[in-house]
Amino acid sequence: MARAAKTSKILLDDPVSSLSGVGPKKSEALNKAGCQSVFDILRFYPTRYQDRRKTTPVSMVENGRMFLLRVKLESIKSYFARRGLTVINAVFSDNSGKITAKWFNRTYLTKQLLPNFEYWVFGNVTKSGSQLIVSNPEVEKIEETNGQRADVLTPIYPSNARLSEAHISPLALRKLIAGILDNIDWENSLPGSLRGSAFQKILLAIEEIHRPKSDESLQKAKYTLAFFDQVLFQIGVLKRRELLTGFLTLPDSTKPPSFKSPYPLPFKLTNGQLDALSEIVSDLKNNVEEGESGKIQPPMNRLVQGDVGSGKTLVAFLSMLYFSNELTPGYQCAFMAPTEILARQHLANFQKFFPQFADKAIIVTGSQKASEKRLVNDLIATGSALFVFGTHALFQEKITFKELGFCIIDEQQRFGVNHRRLLFNKGSNPNQLLLSATPIPRTLSLTIFGDMDTSIINEMPPGRSPVETTIEKSFKATIPIIKKELEAGHQVYIVCPLIELSEERDWVSVEEAADRVEDLLPDVSYATLTGAQTWEEKEMIMQSFKDRNLQILIATTVVEVGVDNPNATLMIIENADCFGLSQLHQLRGRVGRGSAKSSCILISHNDESSERLKVLASTNDGFELSMEDLKLRGPGDLVGTRQSGLGHPCFSHRIPQKLIENARKRAFEILTIEPIEVRNWFNTQMIHSFGESYKTFMEGG
Ligand code: ADP
Ligand code: MG
C-alpha cells in the first residue's frame, strides 16, 4: 500500500514529461525554456503574493482594490473596438449585486466561459458611477477547484519570455507548480546521505516560497534560497578558477610580506601601489617556490583595480621586472593594451623608467610591416625580447614565445575572455594579471570576478588636484570656458553619446557637436573620433591630439581608454545623464593628468537626473560611484555590455557581502570536504541553475 502511494509521487529529479498534463509538446517547450526536471520548474519563484483567502460579496467591494469574488456568469459578449482591439465584456453576479468584467483581445474567453456556471473572479475593481468593473481579472471555474479557495497566500509569478514562448503563462505556471507541490515526495527527493540533513532546509524553503505560511517563515525561506543560489554560483566561480589555473583554491586574503623593488624610480610608490606589488610578487613567487604549506601554488590570477591615474601601469612594470630578471630569469612577459597608441605609450614609458632594459622590450602591432614583423617574431621566439608589449596583434599574429610566463592585460574590460585565453595559450599556464580602472563594489568582485584574487589601489599619487566637476544646462554656456582654456594653450575633449543624428533619441551626436564648434568657435582646429573609424584613423587622430596639432577632440566614449595627454585640461560631456557614474568618472580621468588645474563639465538638459550627477560632482572616489551605479543601474554598466546573465539575483547589490563570503566558504567545503554524493548533487544543481555557461559565465566574448 505504502509502496503504491510512493510510486505515484513526484520526485524533484523527475523529468518534466512525467508530470500529468505535460504531454510531449509541452515537455519539449519546457526543455527549451531550460526546464528539464521538476526541480527546474520549482526554481521559478513568485515575485509577490496576493491574499485570496476570503471572498467578498459584490455589494461590499471598494474602488481601486483587489478582490476575490464568487459569482455566476450571466452573459458574455465581445465587440470589435478598433483595429487590433477586441473588448470582451462579461456580466457576473452573486445575490448581492452585479459586476462587469472586461478583457482585451482574449476572444477565446467567449467560448471558454459558460453562462450559469459559478467562477472565482479575482482582480482590481473600479467603480464608475453605479457601475462596478473588474479589469482583466483571473477567472477559474469553481467546479474545477472542487469549490475550494486558496488557504494560503497566492503566489504571483513574473512573466518569463522563455516560458511564454512555451505558451506557459504566469497563471499556467502557478497551476503547474501547485500540482507539483500537491504531489511531491520531498523526503525521497534528495540522495540518501542528504536526507534528514541540513540540506533538507533547502527543500523546505522551496516549498515555503511557493506556499508561504507566514511572513516570517517566508523571509527565512528567501534567505535560505539566496544563500543556496549563491553557494551554487560560487561553486561555478571556484570551478572556473580551477579551470583557469588548474588548481581548486579559495582566493587568498592574507597579507603577504612587503616587497621592495630594487629599481630606482623618480618618485616614491604610494602605499596602495606597494601593497598591490607585494601581493603580485607573492603570487608569482608561490607559483615557483614551496611555501609553508609545502605546496606550489597555482599561477597568479589577479585583478588590480584602481582609479584612472592611480599608477597601475608602474606596478605592472615592476612585477614584470621581478618576474623576468629575478624570479625566473629568461621567462617572458606579455603586456596587452586595447589600442596601439596605448601600447606604444606603455612601451615608451617602460623604456623611459628602465633604460637599462630598453633593449629587452619590444612591441607587436597589426600595423607593422612584414619585414618588421619577421624581426619582432624572431626576437620573441629566441627569447631575446623579455618584455613584449602589444595590441590584439599579440594573440592574432603568428607569434611564438620562447617561454611566456606572465601575461598582463591593461583595461581588461575592453577584452573578451576568448582574447585573454588566446593570449594565455601562447604560454603554458602563465601568470595572469588584469588591470581595471572601473572599481567594482566588493559584492561584484566576489561574484562576477569571484574567480580572481583582487588588489585594490585606492590612493592617488600625491600632488594631483582632483578634476573639478560642474553641471551646465547647455553647450552654449561652456563656450567662454572653452575659450579660456584654449587661450591658455590647453586642449579640450567634448564627449557625446551618439555618432550621428538618431531618430530614436534626441541626444547630441558627434556630428552635431562638430557643427556647433564650427559655428561658435570658427578658428579652432578640431577632429572627431568615433568607433566608426578604422583603427588606423583613430590612432592617427589621437596621436595628433597628443602632439597638440588639434585643439579640440570631439568623440564618443572611445576616448575612455585614450592617450595620456597632460595638456588636455577640460572635458565636456554632452547628455551626461545617459552614462553611468563610473563611466563618467572614467571619462573625466582623461583630464587632470598634468600639473595644470583641470575641470569637467557635465551637460544635462534634464533637471531630475542632475541629482544623480551631483554625486559625481561631490566625490572623486571611484568605489563610491560604482556602488551608486550598482544601486541605480544594476551591474551591467560596471562590467561592460558584453556580459550576460547579469539580471540574476546573485548580483543584486541587496545581497549582503557577508552572505556572499559565507557562501563562498561553504562552496569550497562542498567541493573539498563534503562526501562525493553531496558534491555531485550540488554540482548538478549548479549546472541546472547556470547551465554549462558557468565556464564562461559573466565573461562575455
Ligand atoms: P593608471 O592606473 O590609470 O593606469 P598610470 O599607471 O597611467 O595610471 O599612471 C598615471 C601617471 O602617474 C603616470 O604618468 C605615472 O608615471 C604616474 N605615477 C605612477 N605612480 C606614481 C607615483 N607613485 N608618484 C607619482 N606619479 C606616479
Ligand atoms: Mg592605465
Side-chain angles (χ1 to χ4, degrees):
M1 185 64 195
R3 212 146 196 235
K6 223 174 222 171
T7 48
S8 65
K9 285 265 186 179
I10 300 172
L11 295 177
L12 277 182
D13 284 339
D14 286 351
V16 291
S17 58
S18 69
L19 292 169
S20 74
V22 177
K25 249 194 169 155
K26 189 126 273 184
S27 96
E28 202 191 308
L30 276 165
N31 289 346
K32 267 215 188 112
C35 294
Q36 316 299 326
S37 70
V38 168
F39 199 7
D40 294 338
I41 297 177
L42 295 183
R43 298 277 271 143
F44 289 107
Y45 303 152
T47 41
R48 59 202 170 87
Y49 303 86
Q50 285 170 346
D51 193 346
R52 304 187 185 178
R53 289 172 294 190
K54 283 200 315 272
T55 51
T56 306
V58 171
S59 61
M60 304 288 280
V61 297
E62 292 160 36
N63 187 35
R65 284 184 46 204
M66 311 281 283
F67 289 98
L68 177 67
L69 311 169
R70 182 183 181 134
V71 281
K72 195 167 79 182
L73 180 64
E74 303 269 329
S75 63
I76 182 162
K77 55 177 183 282
S78 67
Y79 66 91
F80 186 70
R82 60 180 151 80
R83 217 176 123 151
L85 182 69
T86 305
V87 179
I88 297 98
N89 270 336
V91 179
F92 289 95
S93 70
D94 63 11
N95 47 29
S96 76
K98 281 189 186 189
I99 187 164
T100 305
K102 255 190 202 324
W103 294 272
F104 302 110
N105 291 341
R106 292 167 60 181
T107 38
Y108 58 87
L109 286 172
T110 54
K111 299 213 176 65
Q112 217 173 60
L113 303 182
L114 305 172
N116 294 322
F117 278 85
E118 265 199 308
Y119 290 89
W120 298 115
V121 173
F122 183 83
N124 194 27
V125 174
T126 45
K127 265 185 170 171
S128 93
S130 63
Q131 218 199 354
L132 290 173
I133 295 171
V134 55
S135 302
N136 213 20
E138 265 184 34
V139 271
E140 218 172 346
K141 215 172 181 182
I142 292 209
E143 235 176 48
E144 278 165 17
T145 63
N146 299 326
Q148 283 188 350
R149 251 173 299 134
D151 52 0
V152 290
L153 292 178
T154 304
I156 304 300
Y157 296 89
S159 59
N160 173 301
R162 285 184 308 161
L163 284 181
S164 34
E165 255 170 56
H167 297 290
I168 295 173
S169 65
L171 178 62
L173 180 64
R174 190 172 82 219
K175 287 187 178 161
L176 188 61
I177 288 178
I180 295 172
L181 294 180
D182 285 341
N183 294 296
I184 195 147
D185 180 355
W186 292 114
E187 189 58 32
N188 290 301
S189 277
L190 280 174
S193 66
L194 275 74
R195 275 175 219 163
S197 71
F199 297 110
Q200 202 80 38
K201 235 173 74 178
I202 298 164
L203 304 191
L204 290 175
I206 297 257
E207 182 167 28
E208 180 70 28
I209 203 155
H210 293 292
R211 289 185 165 168
K213 289 193 229 16
S214 70
D215 199 45
E216 200 195 347
S217 56
L218 174 64
Q219 293 316 319
K220 267 200 195 135
K222 280 187 175 166
Y223 188 90
T224 303
L225 292 177
F227 190 73
F228 177 56
D229 271 336
Q230 193 60 238
V231 168
L232 295 183
F233 183 69
Q234 292 295 338
I235 287 177
V237 166
L238 291 173
K239 289 189 89 79
R240 200 176 83 198
R241 184 176 158 87
E242 185 183 21
L243 222 65
L244 283 168
T245 64
F247 294 76
L248 182 65
T249 51
L250 216 49
D252 186 6
S253 56
T254 52
K255 210 176 152 145
S258 74
F259 172 79
K260 284 229 160 30
S261 182
Y263 307 99
L265 288 171
F267 39 67
K268 252 181 81 196
L269 293 183
T270 64
N271 287 331
Q273 285 174 310
L274 281 173
D275 288 349
L277 181 61
S278 305
E279 285 164 352
I280 295 166
V281 161
S282 149
D283 286 356
L284 293 170
K285 199 167 157 181
N286 292 340
N287 181 229
V288 176
E289 294 167 10
E290 286 177 13
E292 277 168 29
S293 62
K295 269 198 279 189
I296 301 266
Q297 294 298 308
M300 168 164 64
N301 180 24
R302 184 171 287 276
L303 174 72
V304 177
Q305 296 172 49
D307 246 337
V308 188
S310 59
K312 298 182 290 289
T313 323
L314 195 58
V315 169
F317 287 173
L318 293 171
S319 55
M320 287 157 71
L321 292 175
Y322 168 76
F323 181 75
S324 294
N325 290 328
E326 283 146 73
L327 184 69
T328 46
Y331 274 71
Q332 295 161 293
C333 305
F335 191 125
M336 183 161 77
T339 67
E340 177 161 349
I341 295 202
L342 199 55
R344 290 202 180 278
Q345 187 178 294
H346 287 324
L347 173 71
N349 281 334
F350 181 85
Q351 293 179 321
K352 185 184 84 192
F353 281 124
F354 312 105
Q356 65 274 43
F357 300 112
D359 61 342
K360 298 263 182 246
I362 207 172
I363 190 163
V364 178
T365 73
S367 68
Q368 284 164 328
K369 287 198 210 68
S371 56
E372 200 180 345
K373 267 183 194 157
R374 238 172 290 131
L375 188 71
V376 166
N377 287 355
D378 201 45
L379 291 172
I380 298 173
T382 57
S384 347
L386 282 183
F387 309 105
V388 184
F389 290 83
T391 56
H392 295 71
L394 272 176
F395 62 81
Q396 282 163 346
E397 306 279 329
K398 284 205 189 82
I399 295 170
T400 319
F401 285 81
K402 178 152 185 271
E403 203 72 70
L404 176 61
F406 187 9
C407 298
I408 294 117
I409 299 192
D410 193 23
E411 307 288 351
Q412 68 88 25
Q413 77 282 3
R414 290 275 163 152
F415 294 94
V417 74
N418 331 347
H419 296 168
R420 259 157 68 189
R421 215 162 268 153
L422 285 168
L423 179 62
F424 300 151
N425 287 343
K426 300 252 173 190
S428 83
N429 217 0
N431 292 283
Q432 310 168 18
L433 182 67
L434 311 187
L435 310 181
S436 165
T438 315
I440 38 178
R442 179 82 182 135
T443 46
L444 286 189
S445 62
L446 284 166
T447 50
I448 296 173
F449 296 104
D451 58 342
M452 283 182 273
D453 298 284
T454 49
S455 297
I456 294 169
I457 305 182
N458 54 5
E459 180 179 13
M460 287 298 213
R464 301 267 171 85
S465 52
V467 178
E468 192 196 333
T469 304
T470 51
I471 303 167
E472 288 288 353
K473 279 200 160 50
S474 72
F475 178 66
K476 233 180 174 148
T478 69
I479 296 290
I481 311 168
I482 299 180
K483 280 190 173 150
K484 215 176 105 208
E485 288 303 319
L486 295 182
E487 272 159 26
H490 296 153
Q491 290 161 283
V492 177
Y493 290 99
I494 299 175
V495 176
C496 306
L498 297 172
I499 299 178
E500 50 191 35
L501 210 65
S502 151
E503 301 215 323
E504 283 143 49
R505 311 197 180 262
D506 62 350
W507 292 339
V508 177
S509 66
V510 167
E511 275 180 1
E512 196 180 334
D515 286 346
R516 286 196 212 153
V517 165
E518 291 210 6
D519 279 353
L520 300 167
L521 301 159
D523 300 320
V524 165
S525 60
Y526 77 90
T528 60
L529 184 76
T530 74
Q533 289 155 324
T534 62
W535 65 264
E536 283 121 327
E537 251 177 292
K538 280 189 279 193
E539 304 266 352
M540 215 179 68
I541 293 165
M542 283 198 269
Q543 193 61 48
S544 93
F545 186 63
K546 189 176 163 121
D547 296 341
R548 305 193 186 184
N549 296 327
L550 297 166
Q551 292 172 283
I552 300 184
L553 190 60
I554 307 173
T556 56
T557 54
V558 290
V559 290
E560 179 184 85
V561 192
V563 279
D564 203 2
N565 182 357
N567 191 49
T569 52
L570 174 61
M571 165 155 293
I572 293 168
I573 304 175
E574 260 294 355
N575 299 109
D577 345 82
C578 65
F579 299 106
L581 296 179
S582 288
Q583 192 171 22
L584 290 169
H585 181 59
Q586 174 128 6
L587 281 167
R588 76 176 165 185
R590 291 287 114 218
V591 294
R593 306 196 140 224
S595 49
K597 178 128 196 44
S598 292
S599 46
C600 173
I601 303 175
L602 308 171
I603 302 180
S604 164
H605 308 276
N606 184 340
D607 283 338
E608 287 153 44
S609 56
S610 60
E611 276 309 309
R612 191 171 69 96
L613 298 179
K614 278 185 193 149
V615 181
L616 201 77
S618 72
T619 179
N620 261 297
D621 182 335
F623 277 95
E624 199 181 318
L625 292 169
S626 68
M627 199 57 218
E628 209 51 40
D629 265 345
L630 183 60
K631 277 189 214 153
L632 296 171
R633 295 165 64 108
D637 266 13
L638 297 170
V639 293
T641 44
R642 274 183 303 223
Q643 320 273 353
S644 59
L646 290 171
H648 197 279
C650 276
F651 310 114
S652 164
H653 70 277
R654 289 191 192 86
I655 299 200
Q657 183 177 326
K658 199 81 213 146
L659 181 147
I660 304 177
E661 281 165 351
N662 289 339
R664 165 178 293 201
K665 281 193 208 117
R666 194 72 192 95
F668 188 68
E669 279 169 17
I670 287 169
L671 290 177
T672 51
I673 57 178
E674 289 285 356
I676 188 84
E677 214 175 4
V678 173
R679 195 180 314 166
N680 288 345
W681 188 77
F682 273 87
N683 251 328
T684 312
Q685 302 316 322
M686 186 271 287
I687 289 169
H688 275 226
S689 296
F690 297 105
E692 276 295 327
S693 64
Y694 78 87
K695 287 179 188 152
T696 53
F697 197 41
M698 296 302 108
E699 298 170 297

